[in-house]
PDB file of all heavy atoms in Angstrom:
ATOM      1  N   ARG A 247     -39.559 -60.844 -12.743  1.00 96.00           N
ATOM      2  CA  ARG A 247     -40.591 -60.027 -12.093  1.00 96.00           C
ATOM      3  C   ARG A 247     -41.876 -60.841 -11.994  1.00 96.00           C
ATOM      4  O   ARG A 247     -42.479 -61.190 -13.006  1.00 96.00           O
ATOM      5  CB  ARG A 247     -40.842 -58.744 -12.889  1.00 96.00           C
ATOM      6  CG  ARG A 247     -39.677 -57.772 -12.897  1.00 96.00           C
ATOM      7  CD  ARG A 247     -39.822 -56.711 -13.971  1.00 96.00           C
ATOM      8  NE  ARG A 247     -41.137 -56.085 -13.968  1.00 96.00           N
ATOM      9  CZ  ARG A 247     -41.556 -55.228 -14.898  1.00 96.00           C
ATOM     10  NH1 ARG A 247     -40.760 -54.931 -15.922  1.00 96.00           N
ATOM     11  NH2 ARG A 247     -42.746 -54.693 -14.839  1.00 96.00           N
ATOM     12  N   TRP A 248     -42.288 -61.135 -10.782  1.00 97.00           N
ATOM     13  CA  TRP A 248     -43.498 -61.925 -10.582  1.00 97.00           C
ATOM     14  C   TRP A 248     -44.717 -61.244 -11.193  1.00 97.00           C
ATOM     15  O   TRP A 248     -44.870 -60.025 -11.105  1.00 97.00           O
ATOM     16  CB  TRP A 248     -43.752 -62.141  -9.096  1.00 97.00           C
ATOM     17  CG  TRP A 248     -42.847 -63.128  -8.430  1.00 97.00           C
ATOM     18  CD1 TRP A 248     -41.769 -62.854  -7.639  1.00 97.00           C
ATOM     19  CD2 TRP A 248     -42.947 -64.556  -8.486  1.00 97.00           C
ATOM     20  NE1 TRP A 248     -41.187 -64.016  -7.210  1.00 97.00           N
ATOM     21  CE2 TRP A 248     -41.891 -65.080  -7.702  1.00 97.00           C
ATOM     22  CE3 TRP A 248     -43.820 -65.439  -9.123  1.00 97.00           C
ATOM     23  CZ2 TRP A 248     -41.687 -66.446  -7.532  1.00 97.00           C
ATOM     24  CZ3 TRP A 248     -43.620 -66.803  -8.960  1.00 97.00           C
ATOM     25  CH2 TRP A 248     -42.569 -67.293  -8.172  1.00 97.00           C
ATOM     26  N   LYS A 249     -45.576 -62.039 -11.818  1.00 97.00           N
ATOM     27  CA  LYS A 249     -46.869 -61.582 -12.297  1.00 97.00           C
ATOM     28  C   LYS A 249     -47.926 -62.521 -11.726  1.00 97.00           C
ATOM     29  O   LYS A 249     -47.595 -63.571 -11.156  1.00 97.00           O
ATOM     30  CB  LYS A 249     -46.921 -61.560 -13.828  1.00 97.00           C
ATOM     31  CG  LYS A 249     -45.902 -60.612 -14.452  1.00 97.00           C
ATOM     32  CD  LYS A 249     -45.955 -60.623 -15.963  1.00 97.00           C
ATOM     33  CE  LYS A 249     -47.125 -59.817 -16.509  1.00 97.00           C
ATOM     34  NZ  LYS A 249     -46.974 -58.372 -16.256  1.00 97.00           N
ATOM     35  N   LEU A 250     -49.195 -62.153 -11.857  1.00 97.00           N
ATOM     36  CA  LEU A 250     -50.274 -62.948 -11.286  1.00 97.00           C
ATOM     37  C   LEU A 250     -51.266 -63.298 -12.379  1.00 97.00           C
ATOM     38  O   LEU A 250     -51.894 -62.413 -12.979  1.00 97.00           O
ATOM     39  CB  LEU A 250     -50.967 -62.175 -10.167  1.00 97.00           C
ATOM     40  CG  LEU A 250     -51.769 -62.983  -9.143  1.00 97.00           C
ATOM     41  CD1 LEU A 250     -50.864 -63.995  -8.433  1.00 97.00           C
ATOM     42  CD2 LEU A 250     -52.427 -62.066  -8.124  1.00 97.00           C
ATOM     43  N   TYR A 251     -51.411 -64.592 -12.656  1.00 97.00           N
ATOM     44  CA  TYR A 251     -52.305 -65.061 -13.711  1.00 97.00           C
ATOM     45  C   TYR A 251     -53.722 -65.190 -13.183  1.00 97.00           C
ATOM     46  O   TYR A 251     -53.974 -65.914 -12.224  1.00 97.00           O
ATOM     47  CB  TYR A 251     -51.815 -66.407 -14.235  1.00 97.00           C
ATOM     48  CG  TYR A 251     -52.722 -67.048 -15.268  1.00 97.00           C
ATOM     49  CD1 TYR A 251     -52.838 -66.514 -16.552  1.00 97.00           C
ATOM     50  CD2 TYR A 251     -53.467 -68.175 -14.959  1.00 97.00           C
ATOM     51  CE1 TYR A 251     -53.657 -67.095 -17.497  1.00 97.00           C
ATOM     52  CE2 TYR A 251     -54.291 -68.767 -15.906  1.00 97.00           C
ATOM     53  CZ  TYR A 251     -54.381 -68.225 -17.173  1.00 97.00           C
ATOM     54  OH  TYR A 251     -55.211 -68.804 -18.106  1.00 97.00           O
ATOM     55  N   ARG A 252     -54.654 -64.446 -13.814  1.00 94.00           N
ATOM     56  CA  ARG A 252     -56.072 -64.469 -13.481  1.00 94.00           C
ATOM     57  C   ARG A 252     -56.310 -64.235 -11.989  1.00 94.00           C
ATOM     58  O   ARG A 252     -57.242 -64.769 -11.380  1.00 94.00           O
ATOM     59  CB  ARG A 252     -56.711 -65.784 -13.944  1.00 94.00           C
ATOM     60  CG  ARG A 252     -56.469 -66.058 -15.422  1.00 94.00           C
ATOM     61  CD  ARG A 252     -57.124 -67.313 -15.901  1.00 94.00           C
ATOM     62  NE  ARG A 252     -58.541 -67.105 -16.123  1.00 94.00           N
ATOM     63  CZ  ARG A 252     -59.398 -68.080 -16.469  1.00 94.00           C
ATOM     64  NH1 ARG A 252     -58.949 -69.319 -16.620  1.00 94.00           N
ATOM     65  NH2 ARG A 252     -60.663 -67.818 -16.660  1.00 94.00           N
ATOM     66  N   GLY A 253     -55.437 -63.415 -11.414  1.00 94.00           N
ATOM     67  CA  GLY A 253     -55.607 -62.997 -10.034  1.00 94.00           C
ATOM     68  C   GLY A 253     -55.299 -64.033  -8.980  1.00 94.00           C
ATOM     69  O   GLY A 253     -55.550 -63.797  -7.796  1.00 94.00           O
ATOM     70  N   LYS A 254     -54.704 -65.196  -9.371  1.00 94.00           N
ATOM     71  CA  LYS A 254     -54.526 -66.234  -8.354  1.00 94.00           C
ATOM     72  C   LYS A 254     -53.240 -67.049  -8.456  1.00 94.00           C
ATOM     73  O   LYS A 254     -52.787 -67.581  -7.451  1.00 94.00           O
ATOM     74  CB  LYS A 254     -55.722 -67.185  -8.364  1.00 94.00           C
ATOM     75  CG  LYS A 254     -55.979 -67.851  -9.724  1.00 94.00           C
ATOM     76  CD  LYS A 254     -57.248 -68.712  -9.692  1.00 94.00           C
ATOM     77  CE  LYS A 254     -57.523 -69.355 -11.046  1.00 94.00           C
ATOM     78  NZ  LYS A 254     -58.760 -70.172 -11.040  1.00 94.00           N
ATOM     79  N   ILE A 255     -52.644 -67.196  -9.641  1.00 98.00           N
ATOM     80  CA  ILE A 255     -51.474 -68.070  -9.778  1.00 98.00           C
ATOM     81  C   ILE A 255     -50.230 -67.230 -10.067  1.00 98.00           C
ATOM     82  O   ILE A 255     -50.178 -66.536 -11.090  1.00 98.00           O
ATOM     83  CB  ILE A 255     -51.665 -69.108 -10.899  1.00 98.00           C
ATOM     84  CG1 ILE A 255     -52.925 -69.936 -10.664  1.00 98.00           C
ATOM     85  CG2 ILE A 255     -50.443 -70.025 -10.974  1.00 98.00           C
ATOM     86  CD1 ILE A 255     -53.218 -70.928 -11.776  1.00 98.00           C
ATOM     87  N   PRO A 256     -49.211 -67.268  -9.193  1.00 98.00           N
ATOM     88  CA  PRO A 256     -47.976 -66.531  -9.472  1.00 98.00           C
ATOM     89  C   PRO A 256     -47.289 -67.074 -10.717  1.00 98.00           C
ATOM     90  O   PRO A 256     -47.223 -68.286 -10.938  1.00 98.00           O
ATOM     91  CB  PRO A 256     -47.129 -66.796  -8.220  1.00 98.00           C
ATOM     92  CG  PRO A 256     -48.096 -67.194  -7.156  1.00 98.00           C
ATOM     93  CD  PRO A 256     -49.193 -67.918  -7.865  1.00 98.00           C
ATOM     94  N   VAL A 257     -46.785 -66.144 -11.528  1.00 98.00           N
ATOM     95  CA  VAL A 257     -46.094 -66.491 -12.772  1.00 98.00           C
ATOM     96  C   VAL A 257     -44.705 -65.865 -12.750  1.00 98.00           C
ATOM     97  O   VAL A 257     -44.555 -64.672 -12.474  1.00 98.00           O
ATOM     98  CB  VAL A 257     -46.873 -65.991 -14.007  1.00 98.00           C
ATOM     99  CG1 VAL A 257     -46.085 -66.277 -15.286  1.00 98.00           C
ATOM    100  CG2 VAL A 257     -48.252 -66.618 -14.076  1.00 98.00           C
ATOM    101  N   MET A 258     -43.703 -66.684 -13.042  1.00 98.00           N
ATOM    102  CA  MET A 258     -42.332 -66.186 -13.152  1.00 98.00           C
ATOM    103  C   MET A 258     -41.918 -66.200 -14.627  1.00 98.00           C
ATOM    104  O   MET A 258     -41.689 -67.261 -15.207  1.00 98.00           O
ATOM    105  CB  MET A 258     -41.363 -67.051 -12.342  1.00 98.00           C
ATOM    106  CG  MET A 258     -39.891 -66.691 -12.547  1.00 98.00           C
ATOM    107  SD  MET A 258     -39.478 -64.971 -12.127  1.00 98.00           S
ATOM    108  CE  MET A 258     -39.546 -65.036 -10.331  1.00 98.00           C
ATOM    109  N   PRO A 259     -41.822 -65.033 -15.277  1.00 98.00           N
ATOM    110  CA  PRO A 259     -41.311 -64.998 -16.659  1.00 98.00           C
ATOM    111  C   PRO A 259     -39.794 -65.169 -16.666  1.00 98.00           C
ATOM    112  O   PRO A 259     -39.095 -64.614 -15.823  1.00 98.00           O
ATOM    113  CB  PRO A 259     -41.705 -63.594 -17.143  1.00 98.00           C
ATOM    114  CG  PRO A 259     -42.666 -63.054 -16.115  1.00 98.00           C
ATOM    115  CD  PRO A 259     -42.303 -63.721 -14.831  1.00 98.00           C
ATOM    116  N   THR A 260     -39.301 -65.927 -17.631  1.00 98.00           N
ATOM    117  CA  THR A 260     -37.861 -66.091 -17.779  1.00 98.00           C
ATOM    118  C   THR A 260     -37.543 -66.377 -19.237  1.00 98.00           C
ATOM    119  O   THR A 260     -38.441 -66.479 -20.072  1.00 98.00           O
ATOM    120  CB  THR A 260     -37.328 -67.197 -16.849  1.00 98.00           C
ATOM    121  OG1 THR A 260     -35.903 -67.097 -16.758  1.00 98.00           O
ATOM    122  CG2 THR A 260     -37.704 -68.587 -17.343  1.00 98.00           C
ATOM    123  N   PHE A 261     -36.264 -66.493 -19.553  1.00 98.00           N
ATOM    124  CA  PHE A 261     -35.861 -66.726 -20.935  1.00 98.00           C
ATOM    125  C   PHE A 261     -36.254 -68.128 -21.402  1.00 98.00           C
ATOM    126  O   PHE A 261     -36.262 -69.082 -20.625  1.00 98.00           O
ATOM    127  CB  PHE A 261     -34.358 -66.554 -21.094  1.00 98.00           C
ATOM    128  CG  PHE A 261     -33.863 -65.152 -20.872  1.00 98.00           C
ATOM    129  CD1 PHE A 261     -32.910 -64.876 -19.903  1.00 98.00           C
ATOM    130  CD2 PHE A 261     -34.348 -64.092 -21.635  1.00 98.00           C
ATOM    131  CE1 PHE A 261     -32.448 -63.584 -19.698  1.00 98.00           C
ATOM    132  CE2 PHE A 261     -33.896 -62.799 -21.437  1.00 98.00           C
ATOM    133  CZ  PHE A 261     -32.948 -62.543 -20.464  1.00 98.00           C
ATOM    134  N   HIS A 262     -36.559 -68.236 -22.686  1.00 98.00           N
ATOM    135  CA  HIS A 262     -36.869 -69.524 -23.293  1.00 98.00           C
ATOM    136  C   HIS A 262     -35.575 -70.329 -23.443  1.00 98.00           C
ATOM    137  O   HIS A 262     -34.514 -69.765 -23.725  1.00 98.00           O
ATOM    138  CB  HIS A 262     -37.504 -69.294 -24.675  1.00 98.00           C
ATOM    139  CG  HIS A 262     -38.151 -70.494 -25.265  1.00 98.00           C
ATOM    140  ND1 HIS A 262     -37.432 -71.528 -25.822  1.00 98.00           N
ATOM    141  CD2 HIS A 262     -39.464 -70.835 -25.398  1.00 98.00           C
ATOM    142  CE1 HIS A 262     -38.266 -72.456 -26.269  1.00 98.00           C
ATOM    143  NE2 HIS A 262     -39.502 -72.060 -26.027  1.00 98.00           N
ATOM    144  N   PRO A 263     -35.624 -71.664 -23.244  1.00 98.00           N
ATOM    145  CA  PRO A 263     -34.408 -72.472 -23.422  1.00 98.00           C
ATOM    146  C   PRO A 263     -33.762 -72.307 -24.788  1.00 98.00           C
ATOM    147  O   PRO A 263     -32.536 -72.410 -24.904  1.00 98.00           O
ATOM    148  CB  PRO A 263     -34.912 -73.897 -23.214  1.00 98.00           C
ATOM    149  CG  PRO A 263     -36.105 -73.759 -22.335  1.00 98.00           C
ATOM    150  CD  PRO A 263     -36.757 -72.469 -22.739  1.00 98.00           C
ATOM    151  N   ALA A 264     -34.556 -72.059 -25.840  1.00 97.00           N
ATOM    152  CA  ALA A 264     -33.964 -71.858 -27.165  1.00 97.00           C
ATOM    153  C   ALA A 264     -33.059 -70.628 -27.173  1.00 97.00           C
ATOM    154  O   ALA A 264     -32.026 -70.610 -27.860  1.00 97.00           O
ATOM    155  CB  ALA A 264     -35.070 -71.715 -28.218  1.00 97.00           C
ATOM    156  N   TYR A 265     -33.421 -69.597 -26.427  1.00 97.00           N
ATOM    157  CA  TYR A 265     -32.577 -68.407 -26.314  1.00 97.00           C
ATOM    158  C   TYR A 265     -31.282 -68.751 -25.582  1.00 97.00           C
ATOM    159  O   TYR A 265     -30.197 -68.261 -25.939  1.00 97.00           O
ATOM    160  CB  TYR A 265     -33.327 -67.311 -25.572  1.00 97.00           C
ATOM    161  CG  TYR A 265     -32.502 -66.071 -25.287  1.00 97.00           C
ATOM    162  CD1 TYR A 265     -32.250 -65.134 -26.286  1.00 97.00           C
ATOM    163  CD2 TYR A 265     -31.975 -65.840 -24.013  1.00 97.00           C
ATOM    164  CE1 TYR A 265     -31.484 -63.996 -26.022  1.00 97.00           C
ATOM    165  CE2 TYR A 265     -31.215 -64.713 -23.739  1.00 97.00           C
ATOM    166  CZ  TYR A 265     -30.977 -63.792 -24.749  1.00 97.00           C
ATOM    167  OH  TYR A 265     -30.223 -62.681 -24.492  1.00 97.00           O
TER     168      TYR A 265
END
Side-chain angles (χ1 to χ4, degrees):
R247 293 165 49 187
W248 286 102
K249 298 179 78 68
L250 201 59
Y251 176 70
R252 306 182 78 185
K254 57 184 179 181
I255 304 177
V257 176
M258 173 59 73
T260 195
F261 294 122
H262 193 284
Y265 175 78

